Amino acid sequence: MNILLLEDDLILSAELCKFLESNNFTCDKIYDGETFIRQIKNNTYDLYLLDINVPKINGLDVCQTIRSFDKNTPIIIISAYGDLSDKKDAFTRLADDYLVKPFQFEELLLRVNSLLRRKTPSETTDQDIIRIDDLIVNKTEQKVYRAGNEISLTLKEFQLLVYLAEAQGRTVSKQQITEHVWEHNFNTNTNTVEVYINFLRKKIDKDFKVKLIHTRSGFGYYLSPL
């Protein structure tokens, strides 16, 4: 079982990971919320441990970001804040458990094991989720997120985005797009493909510095952060 820890106290972070690893877990440690979010884009974990008061992006906002695209992976908040209002805030953001510092490591282990036993297998597999930079495409739920924000797409826009994303940076032609997305051969001299590409660009790229949808003149389109 893989655990990702968000904790900016270097000593506590090292001790927690050492303890978890001695109990047959693997543990990666991150010291700020911004790096943590980057880490989870391209890696899969079985459980998250989040301190609240960490640099750049606090643990509660990290929790909320995780839940924007991952409803199942258990999250335990570990924090020095013990007021009821702090706990309420964490559970409102869909954390699964809350442990107040200082705590005994054995108690943490009990809570971790309890959550992992109760964890129900998600119907969504890694193959159903495509991640490209800060873009997440969930094929099972037909949902799209960029930088943690959900983006509303029509069915055809979603199908076009999935086809571009599954090409993994390869250029696909207008003919290939019409065959796979529209499932019939209409006149590729029409501007239907261009219109839908523009729809996607307005929703996926317009408000972001890094553009993902690109045109290769004379060849077609590709989706890549480069």
Side-chain angles (χ1 to χ4, degrees):
M1 290 291 182
N2 302 314
I3 294 176
L4 186 59
L5 169 65
L6 175 61
E7 171 60 69
D8 66 333
D9 183 321
L10 301 185
I11 295 176
L12 178 58
S13 179
E15 290 178 348
L16 271 175
C17 277
K18 182 178 179 181
F19 173 77
L20 291 167
E21 288 165 355
S22 71
N23 283 276
N24 300 316
F25 292 96
T26 62
C27 180
D28 294 334
K29 47 187 181 293
I30 303 292
Y31 307 114
D32 70 84
E34 189 175 280
T35 304
F36 189 97
I37 291 174
R38 287 202 302 269
Q39 178 77 3
I40 63 178
K41 287 178 184 176
N42 299 309
N43 298 276
T44 301
Y45 291 91
D46 299 291
L47 185 139
Y48 300 114
L49 295 175
L50 308 178
D51 187 14
I52 293 178
N53 189 22
V54 295
K56 297 185 179 179
I57 301 176
N58 71 59
L60 292 179
D61 288 341
V62 169
C63 178
Q64 187 170 340
T65 297
I66 293 170
R67 287 295 182 242
S68 70
F69 62 87
D70 179 354
K71 308 298 183 186
N72 300 296
T73 303
I75 298 173
I76 300 177
I77 301 294
I78 52 172
S79 174
Y81 303 139
D83 292 344
L84 180 59
S85 60
D86 297 312
K87 297 177 182 179
K88 182 178 179 180
D89 197 4
F91 288 118
T92 298
R93 301 186 196 219
L94 302 182
D96 295 283
D97 205 346
Y98 195 108
L99 194 56
V100 179
K101 299 176 182 179
F103 53 83
Q104 295 184 15
F105 285 8
E106 289 292 341
E107 181 179 358
L108 174 64
L109 181 62
L110 290 173
R111 297 186 185 217
V112 166
N113 285 329
S114 176
L115 283 172
L116 291 175
R117 282 196 302 270
R118 285 157 40 194
K119 180 181 177 183
T120 56
S122 171
E123 294 180 357
T124 301
T125 67
D126 287 342
Q127 293 181 342
D128 297 316
I129 296 178
I130 305 172
R131 293 179 171 88
I132 300 174
D133 197 62
D134 59 354
L135 176 72
I136 295 174
V137 182
N138 187 319
K139 295 193 292 182
T140 299
E141 298 182 2
Q142 294 192 338
K143 290 185 177 181
V144 176
Y145 304 90
R146 184 145 191 206
N149 300 306
E150 185 171 359
I151 297 173
S152 178
L153 300 179
T154 67
L155 178 59
K156 281 302 175 193
E157 289 169 350
F158 181 79
Q159 290 173 338
L160 174 57
L161 180 63
V162 168
Y163 184 58
L164 291 172
E166 288 182 334
Q168 299 180 337
R170 298 189 304 274
T171 300
V172 292
S173 68
K174 287 170 54 177
Q175 181 68 37
Q176 289 173 313
I177 290 173
T178 60
E179 290 175 355
H180 285 83
V181 177
W182 276 267
E183 298 181 352
H184 63 82
N185 294 315
F186 58 77
N187 184 359
T188 54
N189 290 324
T190 67
N191 66 349
T192 302
V193 173
E194 290 93 329
V195 168
Y196 274 85
I197 288 290
N198 286 333
F199 287 160
L200 276 185
R201 280 178 166 146
K202 289 177 180 178
K203 295 183 178 182
I204 300 297
D205 281 345
K206 181 180 177 182
D207 297 327
F208 298 91
K209 182 178 180 180
V210 176
K211 308 305 180 185
L212 299 178
I213 301 171
H214 306 279
T215 301
R216 188 180 175 197
S217 182
F219 293 91
Y221 306 94
Y222 65 97
L223 198 155
S224 171
L226 302 177

